[in-house]
Amino acid sequence: MQLNGLIHTLPKELKLLIATFVVILSVGFFTGLLFVSETSSANPNGIEEQYLGNETDEDATVMKFKKSEKEMLTLVHGHILSMSIIFFLLGLILSTTKLNKKWKLFLMIEPFISVVLTFGGLYLLWKGMLWTKYIVMFSGTLMTLTFSFSVLIILKQIFSSTKALSK
């Protein structure tokens, strides 16, 4: 079965369903990033403070306490499961786009590696491996970029082929 470029041949109803799903998924994904920005200042030291607390900082405007093991396991478990489903579905849709096979493979597989590095890194940070905050920051950024590029490619190809079909 030839998947490369299949998205262009899908019926309009299916394209609309995919586009709606991808847009709503993006709203959820980027809302999550806003939450990260609010809670950790989106920088390595803010990430460290979010999970390890800031009880020793007398000048802190908001007191944060070290997360419990139950909180960390819940966070890691929930995010790895949900994000793997998100990236699996996005990868399935992306597989139908017309794109260079190497780029497509990268955009389909990389987010899974970033999910493990990001949330595994948070757990290792919590366990005391402070240098993993840089891995968390890098892998989280890469995951966001691959998500964004995948969504843009999917939407561009859905809407460009919809215009071509309606003529």
Side-chain angles (χ1 to χ4, degrees), residues 38-67:
E38 286 294 317
T39 59
S40 68
S41 305
N43 67 59
N45 292 330
I47 293 169
E48 181 180 335
E49 185 179 272
Q50 177 65 18
Y51 297 97
L52 297 179
N54 63 1
E55 297 105 29
T56 59
D57 183 2
E58 292 180 15
D59 298 326
T61 55
V62 176
M63 184 64 72
K64 295 182 181 182
F65 299 95
K66 183 176 182 179
K67 303 277 185 248

Side-chain angles (χ1 to χ4, degrees), residues 7-152:
I7 200 164
H8 297 289
T9 65
L10 296 175
K12 287 182 184 180
E13 310 82 49
L14 195 48
K15 288 180 186 178
L16 184 59
L17 174 65
I18 291 169
T20 304
F21 170 73
V22 168
V23 167
I24 300 304
L25 185 65
S26 297
V27 169
F29 187 88
F30 290 110
T31 301
L33 290 179
L34 285 173
F35 178 76
V36 168
S37 177
E38 286 294 317
T39 59
S40 68
S41 305
N43 67 59
N45 292 330
I47 293 169
E48 181 180 335
E49 185 179 272
Q50 177 65 18
Y51 297 97
L52 297 179
N54 63 1
E55 297 105 29
T56 59
D57 183 2
E58 292 180 15
D59 298 326
T61 55
V62 176
M63 184 64 72
K64 295 182 181 182
F65 299 95
K66 183 176 182 179
K67 303 277 185 248
S68 69
E69 186 162 16
K70 181 180 176 184
E71 288 173 303
M72 288 305 296
L73 290 173
T74 299
L75 177 121
V76 170
H77 167 79
H79 278 83
I80 288 178
L81 284 177
S82 61
M83 304 231 23
S84 63
I85 293 169
I86 288 168
F87 286 115
F88 178 74
L89 292 172
L90 198 61
L92 281 177
I93 297 167
L94 188 67
S95 72
T96 66
T97 62
K98 189 167 180 65
L99 189 63
N100 173 288
K101 286 186 180 189
K102 288 182 181 180
W103 275 110
K104 189 185 293 188
L105 188 61
F106 174 78
L107 291 172
M108 289 168 56
I109 300 302
E110 189 290 322
F112 294 102
I113 296 166
S114 283
V115 165
V116 171
L117 290 175
T118 300
F119 295 100
L122 286 176
Y123 187 77
L124 293 175
L125 170 68
W126 178 80
K127 284 295 226 181
M129 298 176 78
L130 301 183
W131 58 269
T132 60
K133 64 187 171 186
Y134 299 105
I135 291 175
V136 169
M137 192 78 191
F138 177 76
S139 61
T141 300
L142 191 55
M143 179 178 19
T144 300
L145 289 172
T146 56
F147 178 89
S148 301
F149 284 130
S150 296
V151 165
L152 290 173

